[in-house]
Amino acid sequence: MRGWRNAVQETAASKPLFLTIYATVILGIVVSSFYVFSAIYSPNASPTRSISSSWLLAPPLSQNGVSLSSNISQPSQHRSNKLRPIWEAPSRTSKMPRLKSFRLTKELVAQRAKDNVIIVTFGNFAFMDFILTWVKHLTDLGVSNLLVGAMDTKLLKALYWKGIPVFDMGSHISTDDVGWGSPIFHKMGRQKVLLINAILPFGFELLMCDTDMVWLKNPLPYLARYPDADILTSSDQVVPTVVDDRLADWKQVGAAYNIGIFHWRPTPPAKKLAKEWIDMLLADDRIWDQNGFNELVRRQTGPAFDDESGIFYSYDGNLKLGILPESLFCSGHTYFVQALHQQFRLQPYALHTTFQYAGTEGKRHRLREAMVFFDPPEYYDAPGNFVPAVMNHAGGFLSFRPSISKSLLLDGEHNLESHFSLINYQMRQIRSALAIASVLNRTLYEFCHELLVPSSNKSNQGKTIYNLEIHLSKEPMRCVVQVMPPLWCRLDRLWFPHPGALLGSLTRQPFLCPLDHVFEHKSAAESMFRTFLRTQPVILFLSDLGGVNVMLRDLPAEEFGPAINIREYSFLNNPFLPQRVRESWLDVQLCQEGTEDCHASSNTSRPGLLRFPKRSSEETLKKVFSSFKDVKVIQFSSMKDAFLGFTDKASIWCCVENHIPGHIYYDMYWDEKPGWKPIPPKTPEDDHPPF
């Protein structure tokens, strides 16, 4: 103190201004010290509260390598223990916390965990809609003890601003869909195992999930029924082992344990397995994470832990494992093909989109078919009222009721011939609907100029084939969306040879099969059929408003115009479909000429119903459709003398037993090829999609 006093006296004797400055500094030090000691010894101070929810407060530290530190809001010193509810977005006037505040820590997990359980999924931005669907199902079930791992900053930002609890995995992985089996796909799998190894030491139970699954019922009470299990895992079992809600009979489960849904407890055996698992994967990047898990766990299977629970010893003889029942924690086969939960009158807990054949688009479409995928409102609507095309100038949904005879569905054996007869019949109807949708798609443009000119080519019958030249303006394009019908199959589809239905399974024949059993899905817009619209004429050929051939290659939209988008068969039954769209449909029916109210007129016999005589002429249809506002009608010399092309997006059926290759291509042109039969390729040169 003597030093400080002498300094003050000397300064006072020389320059009074410096005295004021020194006094201010000393006073500031004293006041600061007071607050520091108050914070340290305050009874309300808590190290846990000091980091309560900074990760949930509100763009990352840097963007494009430029520091944003000057724009980052500093977290408040006083926080509430109450977390912001999921889906409650941060204020747009706030700034996003530093990226390091999104790190996975024990404190972060503790904030979200309930009854010591945390539910986790992870992904990149390509799976944003899957993640939102995953979170929405859980929150609708009243479950909030969840976290989402973001593998890229784009996803982290997007989830944060939607109010989703998110943490940074530090993966810096591509934001694109990486595709099953790709090197990045395997890298993502290793991230899952790293997460397990990171969370288990925190002491929490971990329910780890893939993003391509949804929760249909709160699983936590079910998992709590088996407190002795170190791990509870789902499986790819398709032959049911139980018919109620017990754990699967582990002695009968021969299929792979599926790591898309599994529950870990922080026990020493579970931690030991997790450590050996990640060591295995890091030592050999050729090992698929699920194969590695199965290899380790199946080192030993049995004996049973007890007589009742269904838990058994595995791995090193100390790990207690239980297999979740295949009818409640459903795979893509037990849910969509067998519908085991319906046959057993059970309410499933989970649906995982395995056993499907069209990548990410196929997964998305399956969840939409089941009406468990959450799409934005515009998916269910579009500019203007979506009416069946002829009624409105803005666009429309086009649907039709398929007509299938009992003999095609049920008569005879379920074999290749009967299966392909059924599928081919349905494909021909779908072709017709897509042709009409395509024609209507081309008529629904504002300020477009359409011109029919005779082609220099002549048909075999000597009739003129007309080219339709469409000159597009710069106005926004409008579209007709095809609502696909339900598809019926008589044979199952798999990756390996089988007799048509897996032995021991409860596959009912025929069954309502997912669209990816027969058709491919491609592109985010679900493009199935591409039409020429810009660089060259389009030649149309309608056959009695019936069969329409599919003849064009896949063409880029930016060069050849828009695709015909599709919707799932259950679309019109989805509760998210706006009521005004439900009520705006025009039902077009074919009737027998001469019967009551059967006449070609734009006057409807009752609201929403239009009846046409069968085999109406082009002039008749043109006259009726032209009476609707803003609908342009494409003219032909005859309704039978034009050709409409699409991209062939039919898939394959698989697989024939005792034949290599064993798959058979579906052919959209089967009825144009005399003698066509459902047979696999005879040689490698024949192994290609049909032309």
Side-chain angles (χ1 to χ4, degrees), residues 334-353:
T334 59
Y335 189 94
F336 289 103
V337 176
Q338 297 186 65
L340 288 183
H341 59 288
Q342 295 178 359
Q343 298 198 58
F344 295 155
R345 303 293 190 269
L346 298 172
Q347 183 182 358
Y349 286 93
L351 163 58
H352 190 190
T353 54

Side-chain angles (χ1 to χ4, degrees), residues 130-186:
F130 284 89
I131 292 170
L132 294 179
T133 294
W134 184 86
V135 174
K136 184 69 164 61
H137 275 282
L138 284 173
T139 54
D140 283 356
L141 293 168
V143 179
S144 60
N145 49 323
L146 61 92
L147 280 171
V148 178
M151 304 188 77
D152 59 75
T153 306
K154 186 176 181 180
L155 176 66
L156 188 146
K157 291 179 179 179
L159 294 179
Y160 171 79
W161 289 111
K162 286 186 177 292
I164 307 299
V166 60
F167 64 91
D168 178 25
M169 295 180 63
S171 307
H172 307 295
I173 207 165
S174 169
T175 60
D176 300 326
D177 184 1
V178 299
W180 192 94
S182 68
I184 300 180
F185 171 85
H186 288 296

Side-chain angles (χ1 to χ4, degrees), residues 235-244 246-255 324-328 331 333-334 338-341 343-344 346 502-507:
S235 77
D236 289 336
Q237 182 74 11
V238 296
V239 177
T241 63
V242 292
V243 297
D244 50 26
R246 292 174 296 166
L247 290 178
D249 186 342
W250 60 274
K251 294 181 180 179
Q252 298 183 40
V253 176
L324 299 169
E326 53 280 336
S327 59
L328 292 179
S331 68
H333 196 279
T334 59
Q338 297 186 65
L340 288 183
H341 59 288
Q343 298 198 58
F344 295 155
L346 298 172
L502 289 174
L503 297 178
S505 72
L506 296 185
T507 303

Side-chain angles (χ1 to χ4, degrees), residues 152 263 494 503 551:
D152 59 75
H263 181 257
L494 293 157
L503 297 178
M551 298 295 288

Side-chain angles (χ1 to χ4, degrees), residues 236 238 332-333 337-338 354-357 366 491-503 505 507 511 517 652-656 662-663:
D236 289 336
V238 296
H333 196 279
V337 176
Q338 297 186 65
T354 55
F355 288 88
Q356 66 83 38
Y357 310 95
R366 282 209 184 185
L491 299 183
D492 197 359
R493 176 182 174 178
L494 293 157
W495 298 276
F496 48 84
H498 61 93
L502 289 174
L503 297 178
S505 72
T507 303
F511 64 96
H517 272 222
I652 62 171
W653 179 83
C654 190
C655 295
V656 175
H663 54 260

Side-chain angles (χ1 to χ4, degrees), residues 251-382:
K251 294 181 180 179
Q252 298 183 40
V253 176
Y257 304 148
N258 191 292
I259 61 173
I261 306 171
F262 55 172
H263 181 257
W264 293 67
R265 289 192 169 91
T267 61
K271 293 177 183 178
K272 178 183 176 183
L273 171 62
K275 177 65 168 59
E276 186 172 355
W277 188 15
I278 191 59
D279 289 344
M280 169 194 284
L281 297 180
L282 295 178
D284 188 349
D285 59 8
R286 297 169 299 177
I287 300 177
W288 180 28
D289 54 349
Q290 181 165 291
N291 287 349
F293 178 81
N294 277 267
E295 179 181 332
L296 292 173
V297 171
R298 291 178 183 270
R299 281 179 182 171
Q300 177 178 331
T301 52
F305 171 69
D306 55 26
D307 296 332
E308 299 294 333
S309 67
I311 299 171
F312 62 102
Y313 289 101
S314 64
Y315 177 46
D316 59 355
N318 295 313
L319 184 105
K320 298 184 288 295
L321 182 67
I323 305 173
L324 299 169
E326 53 280 336
S327 59
L328 292 179
F329 296 81
C330 302
S331 68
H333 196 279
T334 59
Y335 189 94
F336 289 103
V337 176
Q338 297 186 65
L340 288 183
H341 59 288
Q342 295 178 359
Q343 298 198 58
F344 295 155
R345 303 293 190 269
L346 298 172
Q347 183 182 358
Y349 286 93
L351 163 58
H352 190 190
T353 54
T354 55
F355 288 88
Q356 66 83 38
Y357 310 95
T360 303
E361 289 300 323
K363 294 173 182 287
R364 186 179 286 109
H365 194 86
R366 282 209 184 185
L367 294 176
R368 286 170 171 165
E369 287 182 334
M371 296 189 290
V372 294
F373 196 80
F374 291 105
D375 281 293
E378 54 267 25
Y379 179 80
Y380 304 98
D381 203 351

